[in-house]
Amino acid sequence: MTPRPKKQTQRPRNTDRAPHLAIECVTPELDASRYPVKRVLGESFLVSADIFKDGHDLISARISYRGPEDSQWRYAPLTFDYNSDRWHGGFPLDRIGRWTYTVEAWTDTLRTWRSEVEKKVGAGQDVSSELLEGAIHLEAASRRAKFGEARTTLKSAAAHLRNTEVHYGLRAAEGLSPSLIALAEEFFRQSDLTAYHRELVVQVDREQARFAAWYEMFPRSCGLEGCHGTFAEAAEALPRLAELGFDVIYLPPIHPIGTTNRKGRNNTLNASADDPGSPWAIGSEFGGHDAVDPRLGTIDDFDNFVVRAAGLGMEIALDYALQCSPDHPWLRQHPDWFFVRPDGSLKYAENPPKKYQDIYPLNFWCKDRKNLWAACRDVLLFWIGHGVHTFRVDNPHTKPFAFWEWMIADVQRSHPEAIFLAEAFTRPKRMKHLAKLGFTQSYTHFTWKNTTWELRTFMEEYASPSVLEYYRGNLFANTPDILHEYLVRGGRNAFRVRLLLAGTLSPIYGIYSGFELCENVPVREGSEEYLDSEKYQLKARSCDADGNINADIAALNRVRRENRALQLYDNLAFGGSDNDQILVYAKHSPGNDLIIVVNVDPNRVQESTVHVPISALGIGHEEYYIVQDLLTGARYTWRGSSNYVRLDPASQPGHLFRVENSISRNA
Amino acid sequence: MTPRPKKQTQRPRNTDRAPHLAIECVTPELDASRYPVKRVLGESFLVSADIFKDGHDLISARISYRGPEDSQWRYAPLTFDYNSDRWHGGFPLDRIGRWTYTVEAWTDTLRTWRSEVEKKVGAGQDVSSELLEGAIHLEAASRRAKFGEARTTLKSAAAHLRNTEVHYGLRAAEGLSPSLIALAEEFFRQSDLTAYHRELVVQVDREQARFAAWYEMFPRSCGLEGCHGTFAEAAEALPRLAELGFDVIYLPPIHPIGTTNRKGRNNTLNASADDPGSPWAIGSEFGGHDAVDPRLGTIDDFDNFVVRAAGLGMEIALDYALQCSPDHPWLRQHPDWFFVRPDGSLKYAENPPKKYQDIYPLNFWCKDRKNLWAACRDVLLFWIGHGVHTFRVDNPHTKPFAFWEWMIADVQRSHPEAIFLAEAFTRPKRMKHLAKLGFTQSYTHFTWKNTTWELRTFMEEYASPSVLEYYRGNLFANTPDILHEYLVRGGRNAFRVRLLLAGTLSPIYGIYSGFELCENVPVREGSEEYLDSEKYQLKARSCDADGNINADIAALNRVRRENRALQLYDNLAFGGSDNDQILVYAKHSPGNDLIIVVNVDPNRVQESTVHVPISALGIGHEEYYIVQDLLTGARYTWRGSSNYVRLDPASQPGHLFRVENSISRNA
């Protein structure tokens, strides 16, 4: 038996391009670089990687990165951490926009040579041959130095290494000098430079993308009793909102409203002549998405409104609702942008068997989609031109994912300051996907999370390391569409609980008008819709009506501005409680540690031993420390993890403690 | 103030190719498809994905896959699981080699249409217009049917839907018939078919890649006392090894051994004339990696040895050690394949300050690397031609990663049955990386894991879901290089413990000759090297010497063959124990549930309440069940999780229980 080997004469291809080093597990990286991760201006961007090669050579590595307008790569060193067997480094994010980064590594031939020669010298071995190799390294470096003192130094050092008249021990001593190695490294060629096989992107937003208090208002409700309000009248409400500490004033659509099939009060099908209609039925004879409702004023009035807000340190956010009333100019100008029935008529919106005859959806995959998508984008550019840089996007999950990814990137290329808030209430995976596609912030299911277990599970998901790379939950405590039963049943105490939770669980949160007055009458038992919803009618309010929680809001927003820990997203740590009506969590930032304790029962006094996540705050198990309630000023001495609280919802919804210097540290 | 919007006339590109659906989190996928995952022949391959699109349309999805020699894609359906919001499917792996797979999804226009019409009909709405849309769908399907009964059926159904003389309700009833929809779907064009953006690979190995008992032996030690053994003599040892139940007989290098700088007994530098030398110093005047040491016999003798093993149901594994003795033919034929000193001489191996003057490493990045890599590959093809399909690869972490990835894929393309075992004892990330590059199995740090905590931590890492996709740990209990202190101090009892652990923690394990005789004398106190190591001298053994554990080995290997749960890798679940000398774990497979309890203290009786991972075995908390010790035959009645054990190392190292039908199930 003499089996013959199979002939296989093929030789390996591409050995020239085969990577010499392995670079893996680069972080942060989202879905294999398919989507950018998110950061805000001013942060230091930390990058880590596993890097290794075969054999025993020493290696070096760096981050290579490029800012939004950089034409050249820049470099930041990566250093090795033995315990994690991992390389770490970072660079400052000093501009907004999209940054590109990757990791590179190479064999550190010079340090490897130096280390081996040192070991041999230490063992008393003859290193003559090794010194010749060193001379070759130095000569190569000197050639790359081309001229000047460096070249001379390297050349003469190489000659010295070759000088067999001197004992190799003496030559080695000079050849191993750190300054000589450092000089040679300046002109070192990384012959096996290996780059991670993907380039990654980080979207750097302005800080308001992560930290802001939002207030939603209908400017048309700011008129005199019974009259349609104007931008000029709405501007008079701005100083009050600035005093309450809001950063962003979000307006539902301000465009002309369709009259055909207009909805009446409480969503009835037959509007009377003086019903203002739903602002989301966009478009009339007065124009479409780039026009203002003439009842609100002119575009100049709007500009003045924006300027007035800016003067108060606030910015205006507009609603971006890509749908049309039957009277929108696009229906006549571009009927091919809509869904067409077999009989040639256009299709209104449906969710069978429900019909929404006052709204026509756009057909984003129509043949003329390029012009449609561009027109949708141009709407945003129009408003950006009018000083609006933040957009609350209506129902993005009913428009194509591909549209959002293109549109947001296209707008942010020229306007990296633009912020997009996704209003998608759908399955969590779809909401997360929209965030990956580029939405700066996202609404959440916060309004439906009211027990301590629900709140903790919910926030631990959204504040988990992998999710917070791209998802920033904007915790709205109510919206024109969502009046939760918790508020209906719990009344004013419940409003105070939800305000405290929203404003401390996330650095971005918001309320919709009337929350400060504890408005909580649903259109009918069990409904989440408001009675006499402002979506369909004007709603006059007295901003300091009895029972308002303006003082709570102002205090919370002041505390948020004064405490860095409340401005960050990735610093939430939950504690425990022996009473399931009491939620405990900590927010840590250097020099600013907060402990928040909330009684989610709006009706009864609750007391408990709570268990503070002291390891997240660097507090010892036996350590005494003082906590000061930033809302009431009260101080308590606490010790270690377990401490006692008692919260009466009639007086306060919870504690917002700042940890003062611990007693043992002061001692 | 009238700011002008920035002009941006650019229209979106590539809307035609923009994906309509989102496909994410496809599993299994290793490092974003950079490396294949591993499975064995006969398994069903399960694929899952998150799939969604905007809006409310229904979607369908499938796996598309291609076997090793398939020219066409095949398809397997994916079905939606509401609870996990995830799609699942699978297909059978019925051939060894590399399979390609990905996920595709599309809008199910027909089912969406049907569902909407049903809802409208249910609400009593006029669906005339919707029926015309249905007719258009059916007509399109009929055109794709081209001819035959299907075309006729679809055309006439469409005509019926258009027949306004019939009430729309009646027409709808027919148009919604499941058989008609099913027929139309056969000819449906998936106009928005979206494929996951990566194609993935699964390497399908033969079952021995995952389940085998290995035995390492030096054939040269099989001669008569004091004489160099031959293949013919070694063949006489094979029946005994077959009776002990081994599947793979692994031979250290069988090639001619260099004489220059040959190592003597106990790794001394001055070999005497009759010292056989280290088999890893490969190459002499008699040939290199594709020759056999003439003292062992001829290549025909080797072929006979392989055939003899095959007749006993065993296969031979060879060592693949890519290094050369000073006398290897390659040093003369291809001096450019080695590292060259400045004076032109070739470099022996070093790990400064240690020198290995009997071994020359290959320079895998030399200029002639294509021929070098091909020559290394051809060595394997030569031995495959001689009936060897399993290779234990010596120190792969000292050769380039790129070489292994190319070589293994290249060999397995024509020889998918080839198995490669990586012998890399280095940092875990490098070991895992080699497994990702293609090594079928890998050595582990098992020999150094002796406490229950070490064993559990170690195995939980290697049996974790992400790691077992690509890493199969071959648990060698000893090797010619590793005699652990645990065996030195613990003696025979310790050998029995380690055997039981190795053979039950992993479906692949091995021992090196002498383990069955409990050989445990180190070359010096504290050393892991054997005294009179077989690496440097012949070692005569009496295979049934006093104190042997042959019976344990035979019993364990029999139980392994009889119990499917011990043949799988991904079914390990640890339990707990109140005594940290006792390790508890379960292995589950359908109809075959095992509970293993090991006393890792070789010196003392240990007893404990142990906590069985009953959820992994489907046993209820209060349920009674009988466990039978497959090694002793003893039966016990256990209940729920917590049960009592007492183990005397002098009599048995542990229990290997099979769970018999539980009492409550039998009742």
Side-chain angles (χ1 to χ4, degrees):
Chain A
M1 183 186 117
T2 49
R4 295 263 53 85
K6 287 196 189 183
K7 273 294 168 212
Q8 185 159 355
T9 56
Q10 192 192 337
R11 293 187 309 165
R13 285 171 296 182
N14 290 330
T15 55
D16 292 337
R17 276 182 289 152
H20 286 232
L21 294 93
I23 304 176
E24 292 191 340
C25 299
V26 173
T27 56
E29 176 169 18
L30 179 54
D31 289 10
S33 85
R34 172 68 183 80
Y35 307 106
V37 297
K38 296 187 175 86
R39 291 292 186 275
V40 301
L41 185 68
E43 284 186 281
S44 180
F45 190 61
L46 304 178
V47 175
S48 302
D50 290 345
I51 306 171
F52 34 84
K53 71 167 285 197
D54 56 286
H56 306 289
D57 289 345
L58 301 175
I59 59 184
S60 291
R62 67 189 181 194
I63 309 165
S64 63
Y65 66 98
R66 217 162 50 182
E69 282 119 32
D70 291 350
S71 55
Q72 302 262 311
W73 289 97
R74 290 187 276 170
Y75 303 104
L78 283 163
T79 54
F80 182 65
D81 172 55
Y82 184 83
N83 291 324
S84 58
D85 195 7
R86 202 156 160 74
W87 296 73
H88 303 279
F91 59 91
L93 299 170
D94 54 13
R95 270 170 296 158
I96 58 172
R98 295 203 165 192
W99 295 59
T100 306
Y101 61 100
T102 194
V103 166
E104 296 175 345
W106 62 93
T107 306
D108 194 333
T109 315
L110 287 170
R111 278 201 303 133
T112 303
W113 172 81
R114 182 168 186 258
S115 156
E116 294 187 355
V117 175
E118 269 180 346
K119 286 175 190 163
K120 289 178 181 178
V121 167
Q125 295 175 4
D126 184 340
V127 292
S128 300
S129 177
E130 287 74 11
L131 293 178
L132 293 180
E133 290 173 340
I136 291 167
H137 291 315
L138 296 183
E139 282 152 8
S142 79
R143 280 193 298 277
R144 281 188 289 275
K146 292 206 175 91
F147 48 80
E149 197 184 340
R151 181 177 170 93
T152 314
T153 306
L154 291 164
K155 275 185 75 169
S156 73
H160 183 67
L161 288 183
R162 289 186 181 280
N163 182 1
T164 51
E165 290 180 10
V166 179
H167 185 270
Y168 58 78
L170 293 174
R171 282 183 281 151
E174 284 199 32
L176 300 177
S177 93
S179 62
L180 181 61
I181 297 289
L183 180 64
E185 281 202 321
E186 279 183 46
F187 301 98
F188 174 65
R189 193 172 76 89
Q190 300 136 336
S191 61
D192 62 357
L193 185 72
T194 301
Y196 184 54
H197 56 291
R198 288 190 287 267
E199 284 183 8
L200 314 173
V201 173
V202 52
Q203 164 72 29
V204 179
D205 298 309
R206 56 196 171 103
E207 194 168 2
Q208 291 86 340
R210 189 185 58 199
F211 173 57
W214 286 51
Y215 185 85
E216 174 175 2
M217 65 177 282
F218 286 68
R220 69 186 186 185
S221 283
C222 296
L224 296 174
E225 180 73 38
C227 297
H228 196 289
T230 64
F231 287 126
E233 289 166 316
E236 298 310 315
L238 293 175
R240 179 183 80 91
L241 298 172
E243 274 170 34
L244 289 177
F246 289 103
D247 305 294
V248 179
I249 307 303
Y250 149 51
L251 311 182
I254 56 170
H255 316 302
I257 297 173
T259 50
T260 306
N261 295 323
R262 175 178 286 189
K263 294 283 177 70
R265 291 168 174 250
N266 288 307
N267 201 18
T268 50
L269 293 177
N270 301 309
S272 68
D274 55 348
D275 277 340
S278 163
W280 284 275
I282 296 169
S284 79
E285 59 183 307
F286 299 109
H289 284 77
D290 55 1
V292 294
D293 186 337
R295 291 171 299 182
L296 286 168
T298 64
I299 187 74
D300 285 346
D301 293 336
F302 177 75
D303 291 343
N304 288 331
F305 179 76
V306 171
V307 169
R308 181 75 178 273
L312 293 161
M314 301 188 295
E315 65 174 298
I316 301 302
L318 284 191
D319 203 301
Y320 185 56
L322 289 174
Q323 57 199 20
C324 298
S325 91
D327 309 311
H328 195 289
W330 283 355
L331 271 82
R332 294 185 309 281
Q333 296 163 1
H334 300 284
D336 52 329
W337 287 359
F338 296 84
F339 292 95
V340 184
R341 285 204 188 77
D343 68 2
S345 64
L346 304 187
K347 277 188 165 180
Y348 49 78
E350 293 183 281
N351 188 6
K354 286 190 220 161
K355 303 177 177 191
Y356 304 98
Q357 287 156 307
D358 61 334
I359 287 174
Y360 283 66
L362 290 159
N363 180 359
F364 281 89
W365 294 112
C366 67
K367 283 201 176 145
D368 192 34
R369 55 185 170 264
K370 288 192 182 183
N371 285 315
L372 168 60
W373 292 24
C376 290
R377 187 264 327 271
D378 291 344
V379 165
L380 287 172
L381 297 178
F382 176 84
W383 292 110
I384 288 172
H386 285 272
V388 177
H389 305 287
T390 298
F391 299 91
R392 177 269 196 192
V393 178
D394 189 75
N395 277 323
H397 58 299
T398 61
K399 288 95 191 173
F401 299 138
F403 168 73
W404 295 120
E405 186 167 27
W406 166 78
M407 197 279 290
I408 293 173
D410 194 62
V411 169
Q412 288 185 335
R413 198 170 300 121
S414 49
H415 297 284
E417 80 286 0
I419 288 174
F420 297 90
L421 166 62
E423 186 247 12
F425 294 110
T426 177
R427 286 177 289 161
K429 284 180 185 176
R430 290 216 290 189
M431 293 168 65
K432 289 180 188 171
H433 188 68
L434 288 163
K436 289 179 183 176
L437 293 173
F439 281 94
T440 320
Q441 309 175 350
S442 308
Y443 279 72
T444 71
H445 290 104
F446 172 67
T447 43
W448 296 281
K449 307 296 177 185
N450 289 285
T451 68
T452 55
W453 182 84
E454 287 170 340
L455 284 161
R456 180 171 177 159
T457 309
F458 159 75
M459 280 308 298
E460 283 185 335
E461 165 68 11
Y462 285 102
S464 71
S466 62
V467 177
L468 59 76
E469 291 291 355
Y470 62 92
Y471 197 98
R472 299 186 186 113
N474 188 332
L475 303 191
F476 263 83
N478 69 329
T479 80
D481 300 312
I482 314 171
L483 168 64
H484 192 273
E485 189 182 24
Y486 181 86
L487 298 176
V488 174
R489 293 185 185 274
R492 184 172 184 275
N493 292 350
F495 279 77
R496 296 179 79 204
V497 169
R498 299 299 295 176
L499 175 75
L500 179 59
L501 289 168
T504 56
L505 281 170
S506 170
I508 36 177
Y509 87 105
I511 61 170
Y512 151 62
S513 298
F515 189 92
E516 68 269 43
L517 305 178
C518 306
E519 291 177 1
N520 69 343
V521 184
V523 65
R524 59 186 167 275
E525 174 80 16
S527 171
E528 292 188 348
E529 289 281 339
Y530 284 90
L531 176 66
D532 300 333
S533 169
E534 202 169 2
K535 289 191 286 185
Y536 311 107
Q537 67 189 71
L538 309 178
K539 194 146 192 170
R541 293 188 178 91
S542 169
C543 62
D544 52 2
D546 275 357
N548 74 70
I549 57 169
N550 289 332
D552 290 289
I553 295 170
L556 177 66
N557 285 336
R558 174 183 53 75
V559 170
R560 282 165 49 90
R561 288 184 180 173
E562 290 170 356
N563 288 274
R564 174 80 177 154
L566 292 175
Q567 302 168 15
L568 304 175
Y569 202 98
D570 60 352
N571 61 343
L572 178 65
F574 282 95
S577 164
D578 295 350
N579 178 340
D580 72 359
Q581 295 296 318
I582 291 184
L583 185 68
V584 184
Y585 47 100
K587 298 276 286 184
H588 161 78
S589 73
N592 185 230
D593 288 323
L594 307 181
I595 300 167
I596 298 113
V597 184
V598 183
N599 172 13
V600 302
D601 180 350
N603 300 315
R604 278 169 296 270
V605 174
Q606 299 284 352
E607 58 183 346
S608 181
T609 297
V610 296
H611 308 284
V612 179
I614 51 174
S615 63
L617 303 177
I619 295 171
H621 281 282
E622 304 293 326
E623 193 172 346
Y624 287 94
Y625 53 101
I626 291 171
V627 292
Q628 181 183 20
D629 191 323
L630 300 172
L631 300 173
T632 66
R635 281 187 163 79
Y636 304 87
T637 301
W638 277 16
R639 184 185 182 195
S641 171
S642 298
N643 293 282
Y644 171 79
V645 297
R646 181 179 187 278
L647 286 163
D648 180 351
S651 59
Q652 63 180 130
H655 292 298
L656 204 176
F657 287 131
R658 180 161 58 201
V659 179
E660 304 200 338
N661 279 352
S662 73
I663 291 167
S664 62
R665 286 175 207 158
N666 285 342
Chain B
M1 183 186 117
T2 49
R4 294 265 53 87
K6 286 196 191 185
K7 271 295 165 209
Q8 186 158 355
T9 55
Q10 191 191 340
R11 293 188 309 164
R13 286 172 295 183
N14 290 330
T15 56
D16 293 337
R17 276 182 288 152
H20 285 233
L21 295 92
I23 304 176
E24 292 191 339
C25 299
V26 173
T27 54
E29 175 169 18
L30 179 54
D31 290 9
S33 84
R34 172 68 182 80
Y35 307 105
V37 298
K38 296 188 176 85
R39 293 292 185 275
V40 301
L41 185 68
E43 283 187 280
S44 180
F45 189 62
L46 303 179
V47 175
S48 303
D50 291 343
I51 306 173
F52 34 84
K53 70 167 286 199
D54 56 287
H56 308 288
D57 288 346
L58 300 175
I59 58 184
S60 290
R62 67 189 180 194
I63 310 166
S64 63
Y65 66 98
R66 218 161 51 181
E69 282 120 32
D70 292 348
S71 56
Q72 301 262 310
W73 289 98
R74 289 188 277 170
Y75 303 104
L78 284 163
T79 54
F80 183 65
D81 172 54
Y82 184 83
N83 291 324
S84 58
D85 194 8
R86 203 158 158 72
W87 296 73
H88 303 281
F91 59 92
L93 299 171
D94 54 14
R95 272 170 295 157
I96 58 172
R98 295 205 165 189
W99 296 58
T100 307
Y101 62 101
T102 193
V103 167
E104 295 175 345
W106 61 95
T107 306
D108 194 332
T109 314
L110 287 169
R111 279 201 303 130
T112 302
W113 172 80
R114 181 168 186 258
S115 156
E116 293 188 353
V117 175
E118 270 179 346
K119 285 177 191 161
K120 289 178 181 177
V121 167
Q125 296 175 3
D126 184 339
V127 292
S128 300
S129 177
E130 287 73 12
L131 293 177
L132 293 180
E133 291 173 340
I136 291 168
H137 291 317
L138 295 183
E139 283 153 6
S142 78
R143 280 193 297 278
R144 279 186 291 275
K146 291 208 177 86
F147 48 78
E149 198 184 336
R151 180 179 170 91
T152 315
T153 306
L154 291 164
K155 274 184 75 170
S156 73
H160 184 67
L161 287 184
R162 287 186 182 281
N163 182 359
T164 51
E165 290 178 10
V166 179
H167 185 270
Y168 59 78
L170 294 173
R171 282 182 281 151
E174 284 198 34
L176 300 177
S177 94
S179 63
L180 181 62
I181 297 289
L183 181 65
E185 282 204 321
E186 279 183 45
F187 301 97
F188 174 66
R189 193 172 76 89
Q190 300 135 335
S191 60
D192 63 355
L193 185 73
T194 302
Y196 184 54
H197 57 289
R198 288 189 287 267
E199 285 183 8
L200 313 174
V201 174
V202 51
Q203 164 72 27
V204 179
D205 297 310
R206 56 196 170 103
E207 194 168 2
Q208 293 85 339
R210 190 186 55 198
F211 173 57
W214 286 51
Y215 185 86
E216 175 175 0
M217 65 178 281
F218 287 67
R220 70 186 186 184
S221 283
C222 296
L224 296 174
E225 181 73 38
C227 298
H228 196 287
T230 65
F231 288 125
E233 289 166 317
E236 298 309 315
L238 293 175
R240 178 182 81 90
L241 298 172
E243 273 171 36
L244 289 177
F246 289 103
D247 306 293
V248 179
I249 306 301
Y250 149 52
L251 312 182
I254 57 170
H255 316 301
I257 297 172
T259 50
T260 306
N261 296 323
R262 176 177 285 189
K263 294 283 176 70
R265 291 167 173 249
N266 289 307
N267 201 17
T268 50
L269 292 177
N270 301 308
S272 68
D274 55 348
D275 277 340
S278 163
W280 285 275
I282 296 170
S284 78
E285 59 183 306
F286 298 109
H289 284 77
D290 55 2
V292 294
D293 187 336
R295 292 170 298 181
L296 286 167
T298 66
I299 187 74
D300 286 344
D301 294 336
F302 176 75
D303 292 342
N304 289 330
F305 180 75
V306 170
V307 169
R308 180 76 179 271
L312 293 161
M314 301 189 295
E315 66 174 298
I316 301 302
L318 283 191
D319 204 302
Y320 185 56
L322 289 173
Q323 58 199 19
C324 298
S325 91
D327 310 311
H328 194 288
W330 284 355
L331 272 81
R332 293 184 310 282
Q333 295 162 2
H334 300 284
D336 51 330
W337 288 359
F338 296 84
F339 292 95
V340 184
R341 284 205 190 77
D343 68 0
S345 64
L346 302 188
K347 275 188 167 180
Y348 50 77
E350 293 183 280
N351 187 5
K354 286 190 220 162
K355 302 178 179 191
Y356 304 98
Q357 286 157 307
D358 61 334
I359 287 174
Y360 282 66
L362 290 158
N363 180 0
F364 281 88
W365 294 112
C366 69
K367 281 200 178 148
D368 192 34
R369 56 185 169 262
K370 288 191 183 184
N371 285 316
L372 167 59
W373 292 24
C376 290
R377 186 264 328 270
D378 291 345
V379 165
L380 287 173
L381 296 178
F382 175 85
W383 292 109
I384 288 173
H386 286 272
V388 177
H389 305 286
T390 298
F391 299 92
R392 176 269 197 192
V393 178
D394 189 74
N395 278 323
H397 58 299
T398 61
K399 288 93 189 172
F401 299 138
F403 168 73
W404 295 119
E405 186 168 26
W406 165 78
M407 197 279 288
I408 293 173
D410 194 63
V411 169
Q412 288 185 335
R413 199 170 298 122
S414 48
H415 297 284
E417 80 285 0
I419 288 174
F420 296 90
L421 165 62
E423 186 248 11
F425 294 110
T426 175
R427 286 177 289 161
K429 285 180 185 177
R430 291 216 289 189
M431 293 167 66
K432 289 181 187 170
H433 188 68
L434 288 162
K436 291 179 183 177
L437 293 172
F439 281 93
T440 321
Q441 308 175 351
S442 307
Y443 280 72
T444 71
H445 291 105
F446 172 68
T447 42
W448 295 281
K449 308 296 176 182
N450 290 286
T451 68
T452 55
W453 182 85
E454 285 170 342
L455 284 161
R456 179 172 179 158
T457 309
F458 158 74
M459 280 308 298
E460 283 184 336
E461 165 69 10
Y462 284 103
S464 71
S466 61
V467 177
L468 58 77
E469 291 291 354
Y470 62 92
Y471 197 98
R472 301 187 185 110
N474 189 332
L475 303 191
F476 263 83
N478 69 327
T479 79
D481 300 313
I482 313 172
L483 167 65
H484 192 273
E485 188 182 26
Y486 181 85
L487 298 175
V488 174
R489 294 184 185 274
R492 185 172 184 274
N493 293 350
F495 279 77
R496 297 179 77 206
V497 169
R498 299 299 295 176
L499 175 75
L500 179 58
L501 288 168
T504 56
L505 282 170
S506 171
I508 35 176
Y509 86 105
I511 61 170
Y512 150 63
S513 297
F515 189 92
E516 67 270 43
L517 303 178
C518 306
E519 291 178 359
N520 69 343
V521 183
V523 66
R524 61 185 167 276
E525 173 81 15
S527 171
E528 292 188 349
E529 291 279 339
Y530 284 89
L531 177 65
D532 299 334
S533 169
E534 203 169 2
K535 290 191 287 185
Y536 311 107
Q537 67 190 72
L538 310 178
K539 194 147 193 170
R541 293 188 178 92
S542 168
C543 61
D544 51 3
D546 277 358
N548 75 70
I549 58 169
N550 290 332
D552 290 288
I553 294 169
L556 176 66
N557 285 337
R558 174 184 55 74
V559 169
R560 283 166 46 90
R561 287 183 181 174
E562 291 171 357
N563 289 274
R564 174 79 177 154
L566 292 175
Q567 301 169 15
L568 303 177
Y569 202 97
D570 60 353
N571 61 344
L572 179 65
F574 281 95
S577 165
D578 295 349
N579 177 339
D580 73 0
Q581 295 296 317
I582 291 184
L583 186 68
V584 184
Y585 47 100
K587 297 277 285 183
H588 161 78
S589 73
N592 186 230
D593 288 322
L594 306 179
I595 300 167
I596 299 113
V597 185
V598 184
N599 172 12
V600 302
D601 179 350
N603 300 316
R604 278 170 295 270
V605 174
Q606 297 285 351
E607 58 184 345
S608 180
T609 296
V610 296
H611 309 284
V612 178
I614 51 174
S615 64
L617 303 176
I619 295 171
H621 280 282
E622 304 293 324
E623 193 173 346
Y624 287 95
Y625 53 100
I626 292 171
V627 292
Q628 181 184 20
D629 192 321
L630 300 172
L631 300 173
T632 65
R635 282 187 164 79
Y636 304 87
T637 301
W638 277 16
R639 184 184 182 195
S641 170
S642 297
N643 293 282
Y644 171 79
V645 297
R646 181 179 187 281
L647 287 162
D648 179 352
S651 59
Q652 64 179 130
H655 292 299
L656 205 175
F657 287 131
R658 181 161 57 201
V659 179
E660 304 200 337
N661 280 351
S662 73
I663 292 167
S664 61
R665 285 175 209 158
N666 285 341

